[in-house]
Amino acid sequence: MGAHTHEGDGAAARRDLAVRAAVEQGLVGGADSAEPLTCLLDIAGIRASAAALTGAFAAALPPGTPVLHAFAVKAAPLVPVLRLLADAGLGCEVASPGELALARAAGVPAARTVLDSPAKTVAELREALALGIALNADNPQELARLDALAGSAPAPIATPIGLRINPQTGAGAIDALSTATSTSKFGIALRDPGARDWLVRAYLDRPWLTRLHIHSGSQGVPLARIAEGVRELHALAEEINAAAGRRQVDTLDIGGGLPVNFASDEETPTFAQYVAALRQAAPALFDGSYGLVTEFGRGLLAKHGLVLARVEYTKTSGSRPIALTHAGVQVATRTAYAPEAWPVRILPYDAKGAPKAGDPVAQDIAGPACFAGDLLATARELPRLAPGDLIGVPDTGAYFFTAHYGYNSLPRPAVHGFAVTQSGEVGFRLVRPAQDTSAIVAEAGGTLRDALL
């Protein structure tokens, strides 16, 4: 997992150019001046993923079919990233007031925003209705809240509203991320006794329910199982519309959850393969009779992020070489706590940012936090690292450094987007500044020092 894979891979070549440029331009590296940790996003790679997603669906649908690809903000809650994706034709899927604020700050209009959350407050629902943001209700109690809000509204509901169902199609390889198990916390369990009849009646009683929502995919879930959930969604929509005698449900929100390959630079599965799996499982989904919404996050961003950290010290313990770096649980939380489910690759670079060669040696790659499990890799075969070298952790553009974990009050690292010219020159654009210690103190109640005296 530690080898560089440059053959025919433009993304890998851009990555190595960016690492060298980051050192040369002082973004990371030297022990005295540069930051010991920074994070990079490949702008061209992000645009390519967005184009692959929109192109895969456009090729499969009749012209004019309404489609909204809403990026799952939780995967990379960075305003410039949301703005870049909006420029590429995507909207936003949000799951909290904070994520909605980020989407609005990025200039994403309400009509291209979807609100999903299993615990929406009355205030959140009221705001979504006022703004015209599409929302998916999670459960009967939330639907009852919407009934009350609809009854008190000065005009009929114009906001697109749907219900989230759980198709109960089974778990993937990572239990914590499996959203379609028999006991999942999300949505209305479709196979529970009486649930299907209740759902049909809920729609017949509420002409303003016009959407159905599912999210059956995630890391570790095979495409066939994701597609099975979408097939169940389509069948339910057909059943509701037949019972209503009209096309009441006009839009299917099929969620996201395309798995990502963390083992190499190969991007697999692709969005085209995902669409092919859907077409095989539910061909009528693509006949143009329903508008579609998707909510991809990891599949769009993961392959285009890189954590870049300085090796501060090296040591040996129990004959095991250990490289102590500045990248650990604060940027790779899931890897530190669940390494088997979330293994990462380690790319070794020398102090100048050039790929490091040498005989492989089994060594641990440790982070800076004060707990024993703060490891990115154990007994990983790599050229022996030395103080001043750098490690790159690829495939971290989603849910890694954008979802900072404040253990030991470690600061949020800077995030830079990069672009490479045809001549190989690298330009960086600041996406998020590094957090300084004054900001950490302020977050920790620094202005309220005497509050408990």
Side-chain angles (χ1 to χ4, degrees):
M1 290 180 72
H4 297 256
T5 52
H6 297 272
E7 296 78 19
D9 192 329
R14 289 196 303 272
R15 180 179 64 214
D16 282 353
L17 286 171
V19 171
R20 185 185 290 272
V23 173
E24 291 173 348
Q25 297 183 35
L27 301 185
V28 70
D32 294 326
S33 56
E35 292 284 344
L37 172 68
T38 198
C39 303
L40 306 180
L41 287 169
D42 181 356
I43 298 170
I46 295 171
R47 284 195 177 275
S49 280
L53 169 60
T54 56
F57 276 82
L61 288 164
T65 303
V67 181
L68 171 62
H69 297 292
F71 174 69
V73 172
K74 57 184 171 288
L78 299 168
V79 171
V81 169
L82 306 184
R83 182 66 172 163
L84 172 63
L85 291 170
D87 187 65
L90 276 61
C92 283
E93 183 264 341
V94 302
S96 72
E99 290 184 358
L100 175 57
L102 295 178
R104 298 188 73 185
V108 178
R112 300 187 64 76
T113 305
V114 180
L115 172 62
D116 293 320
S117 163
K120 305 179 198 73
T121 65
V122 171
E124 289 176 68
L125 294 173
R126 189 178 287 116
E127 181 182 27
L129 293 173
L131 293 173
I133 292 169
L135 63 88
N136 293 307
D138 178 81
N139 56 71
Q141 292 172 5
E142 184 179 345
L143 185 58
R145 286 185 174 182
L146 288 168
D147 285 338
L149 291 170
S152 63
I157 291 180
T159 298
I161 299 176
L163 289 179
R164 178 170 182 167
I165 67 162
N166 168 17
Q168 296 173 295
T169 46
I174 305 174
D175 286 343
L177 295 189
S178 297
T179 59
T181 63
S182 62
T183 58
S184 171
K185 78 175 195 178
F186 293 108
I188 296 167
L190 187 60
R191 299 181 186 180
D192 279 11
R196 198 175 191 98
D197 289 341
W198 181 89
L199 279 161
V200 173
R201 175 48 56 189
Y203 276 78
L204 296 183
D205 290 344
R206 298 167 180 84
W208 42 267
L209 281 178
T210 59
R211 294 187 169 194
L212 275 170
H213 176 225
I214 194 175
H215 187 100
S216 59
S218 199
Q219 191 66 21
V221 180
L223 289 186
R225 186 161 297 164
I226 300 173
E228 181 185 353
V230 175
R231 182 180 65 215
E232 293 283 342
L233 186 79
H234 180 269
L236 178 61
E238 293 285 278
E239 183 176 341
I240 291 169
N241 286 345
R246 64 187 183 89
R247 189 168 165 268
Q248 177 174 339
V249 176
D250 59 21
T251 301
L252 300 180
D253 185 334
I254 61 175
L258 186 72
V260 167
N261 166 36
F262 287 98
S264 74
D265 284 327
E266 183 183 2
E267 294 191 33
T268 181
T270 64
F271 288 114
Q273 290 167 337
Y274 171 81
V275 168
L278 291 184
R279 293 185 76 169
Q280 182 174 0
L285 185 71
F286 293 91
D287 66 8
S289 58
Y290 292 97
L292 297 179
V293 177
T294 71
E295 300 174 354
F296 293 101
R298 182 181 292 108
L300 282 162
L301 260 291
K303 300 299 286 185
H304 311 305
L306 180 74
V307 172
L308 195 55
R310 187 173 71 219
V311 177
E312 197 68 38
Y313 302 108
T314 56
K315 62 194 290 187
T316 300
S317 183
S319 77
R320 175 75 58 76
I322 302 171
L324 296 161
T325 81
H326 292 272
V329 69
Q330 84 278 34
V331 291
T333 313
R334 287 170 168 171
T335 298
Y337 286 117
E340 283 149 13
W342 296 100
V344 293
R345 291 183 289 150
I346 304 295
L347 306 179
Y349 296 90
D350 65 22
K352 294 183 178 180
K356 185 163 186 170
D359 294 333
V361 175
Q363 54 202 299
D364 290 355
I365 309 301
C370 287
F371 81 100
D374 186 28
L375 298 167
L376 295 182
T378 302
R380 186 65 57 83
E381 297 275 346
L382 298 166
R384 187 151 191 159
L385 294 166
D389 286 343
L390 300 167
I391 61 155
V393 189
D395 309 330
T396 47
Y399 297 106
F400 279 80
F401 55 78
T402 57
H404 182 76
Y405 178 49
Y407 196 98
N408 281 151
S409 296
L410 291 165
R412 287 189 295 270
V415 178
H416 299 269
F418 70 86
V420 181
T421 67
Q422 289 187 337
S423 61
E425 295 179 1
V426 180
F428 293 99
R429 304 173 193 176
L430 184 64
V431 172
R432 181 185 73 190
Q435 186 182 33
D436 60 26
T437 53
S438 64
I440 294 174
V441 171
E443 279 190 2
T447 61
L448 305 170
R449 183 179 65 178
D450 296 330
L452 303 181
L453 298 181

